[in-house]
Amino acid sequence: MTHSRARSSSINSLPKSSPGPTNPLESSLATAQARYTLRNPLSLDAHNDSCQHLPGGNTRTVLHSTPFPLTFTSGTDCSLTTLDGHTYTDFLGEYTAGIYGHSHATIRAAIDDVLTKGWNLGGNNVYEKRLAKLVCERFSSTMELVRFTNSGTEANMMSLATAMAWTGRKKILVFSNGYHGSTLSFPPKIGNSINLPHEWVVAPYNDLKKTRAILFGLPTASLAAILVEPMLGSGGAVPGDLVFLQYLREAATQYGALLIFDEVMTSRLSYQGLGHKLGIQPDLMTLGKWVGGGMSFGAFGGRKDIMGMYDPRSGILHHPGTFNNNVFSMAAGCAGCELLDATTIDKLNDLGELMKGMIRDVLHKHEIRSDQPSIDGVENGLRDINISNGTSNPLHSNHVGSRMWVSGVGSILGVYFGGESKDILQGLFFHHMLEENIYLSQRGFMALSIVVQQSHVQHFVEATERFVLKYKHALSYNTPSL
């Protein structure tokens, strides 16, 4: 189908909308989406074409956006270019996996080296041995032995299987708003789910009292594992409370279960991972794609006695996988792990903290209530992620309180909204930033890469202030929620 032919039917292929805006903010969002559509006709054509072969034109739910997603043709450093020729500064950073940017020379050299030597070797290779050493040395407080997978989802699946095999038990404690992969997702209201059919026990994140009560009520010797993110990533960039995380360590020991830290995202927040920075040692931990140079990669590992179950010479567990040690991920991982030394990681996370502080200064300057809502479960007004449009965030609260805030740790951040118009405001912020040539997720999530500079951050903050000034009537302390 040609572009002109596709455009002729584009208006009939757009997502159906409600009869019409009922308040000024809805009108503003409708206008912003109309401008977006006019500005990106080739991305719209590409979306309409792909709908003939992919459900909703999509093979990765989180990348859908309203009214349709941009289609990119290239990326360089921290810039992305679309089919329509527009260039954006990338603040999404591939949801933390793109920590090196889109064209880092060190990663490119590692991949070029592989291309000259061949791939799909069907045997052990030199890269996997080197990467395993780098990972175990870097995360030495937990990673006595490690195994590689193809994604963070798979790493978390394997860590849970390992815990169940080790303990001979089946119950797994997880937390509301936790996300550990496509089959391990726990919004407060799960609804239809493709989660693995384990015996899940779901407790509220950062709520020690309720978590203790839930654990106390479990049958004796039934808990296999506690799986937790030291900071909720996709669930709103919410830092874990230190006392809460320390309790989980104590509880795992008390109940004879394994404590698993999902550090697929958070392992980049400190050179040796966020758990090490907090002074908490889990039994197992999982890692994600940034450790594989941004390629398809995951890893799980921990105590030698537990991981020894996978030793093919004497162990009892098997873990096959054609691409567990694929040469592209192994080589890129070696290059990336050496590139991201302690100095580089600290510089990146310091920039994220600076950015967070600058955004908070803007909100304070304009008297926008910006305290991050607390997390204590559905009872506090939390709601589930609306993945149909990608705008809602589990932290969003309907009660009168904060209207806009920034959360996160280091280089992983999110800008979120509260009040009855939270979803509209989130959509307006997304489209406003696109018009400022800034790319982030529609739900407000961001992850900086090492090629993002302070000048880029300054532009982001200035664009945010322009948004605040434009919609101050809907964000101010004294304005009723629209």
Side-chain angles (χ1 to χ4, degrees), residues 349-383:
N349 288 302
D350 287 347
L351 182 61
E353 288 296 323
L354 174 66
M355 179 175 169
K356 182 171 63 175
M358 293 171 71
I359 295 172
R360 286 176 174 170
D361 287 345
V362 166
L363 298 177
H364 179 73
K365 172 184 175 182
H366 295 286
E367 299 184 329
I368 307 302
R369 185 170 179 179
S370 57
D371 298 329
Q372 182 174 319
S374 63
I375 293 286
D376 62 359
V378 180
E379 296 83 3
N380 195 37
L382 300 179
R383 60 179 303 233

Side-chain angles (χ1 to χ4, degrees), residues 208-395:
L208 192 155
K209 182 178 179 181
K210 290 181 181 177
T211 299
R212 180 185 285 124
I214 288 170
L215 286 173
F216 184 76
L218 294 179
T220 302
S222 64
L223 185 67
I226 299 173
L227 175 62
V228 66
E229 300 165 90
M231 179 190 77
L232 290 180
S234 297
V238 181
D241 178 76
L242 179 59
V243 174
F244 174 74
L245 295 173
Q246 289 172 335
Y247 167 72
L248 297 182
R249 173 64 278 174
E250 296 167 3
T253 301
Q254 176 186 349
Y255 286 90
L258 298 187
L259 177 63
I260 305 171
F261 270 6
D262 175 354
E263 294 227 41
V264 168
M265 289 186 174
T266 61
S267 52
R268 51 175 276 165
L269 297 180
S270 181
Y271 180 72
Q272 294 178 281
L274 187 55
H276 181 270
K277 183 176 182 178
L278 296 172
I280 303 172
Q281 183 176 340
D283 300 295
L284 298 173
M285 71 182 294
T286 58
L287 302 171
K289 298 175 185 67
W290 77 262
V291 182
M295 303 294 120
S296 178
F297 179 84
F300 69 104
R303 284 168 35 190
K304 184 176 294 188
D305 54 343
I306 298 170
M307 294 301 295
M309 292 191 295
Y310 290 101
D311 187 332
R313 301 167 300 180
S314 58
I316 60 173
L317 299 180
H318 300 276
H319 172 220
T322 301
F323 292 110
N324 289 352
N325 67 334
N326 80 85
V327 288
F328 291 104
S329 297
M330 299 297 103
C334 291
C337 285
E338 292 179 338
L339 175 63
L340 291 182
D341 57 20
T343 299
T344 305
I345 282 286
D346 288 346
K347 180 181 178 182
L348 173 63
N349 288 302
D350 287 347
L351 182 61
E353 288 296 323
L354 174 66
M355 179 175 169
K356 182 171 63 175
M358 293 171 71
I359 295 172
R360 286 176 174 170
D361 287 345
V362 166
L363 298 177
H364 179 73
K365 172 184 175 182
H366 295 286
E367 299 184 329
I368 307 302
R369 185 170 179 179
S370 57
D371 298 329
Q372 182 174 319
S374 63
I375 293 286
D376 62 359
V378 180
E379 296 83 3
N380 195 37
L382 300 179
R383 60 179 303 233
D384 54 306
I385 301 172
N386 183 353
I387 60 174
S388 65
N389 62 30
T391 60
S392 295
N393 182 277
L395 281 180

Side-chain angles (χ1 to χ4, degrees), residues 406-461:
V406 57
S407 63
V409 173
S411 58
I412 300 178
L413 305 167
V415 174
Y416 304 116
F417 297 84
E420 293 177 2
S421 298
K422 59 192 177 302
D423 291 343
I424 299 174
L425 288 165
Q426 195 79 62
L428 284 169
F429 184 71
F430 174 67
H431 284 286
H432 171 84
M433 298 310 269
L434 289 178
E435 290 181 359
E436 296 271 3
N437 293 104
I438 290 170
Y439 183 67
L440 71 165
S441 79
Q442 187 168 247
R443 68 188 186 206
F445 182 86
M446 295 173 284
L448 307 187
S449 68
I450 60 173
V451 290
V452 169
Q453 303 297 315
Q454 190 165 340
S455 59
H456 299 125
V457 168
Q458 183 66 38
H459 174 52
F460 187 101
V461 173

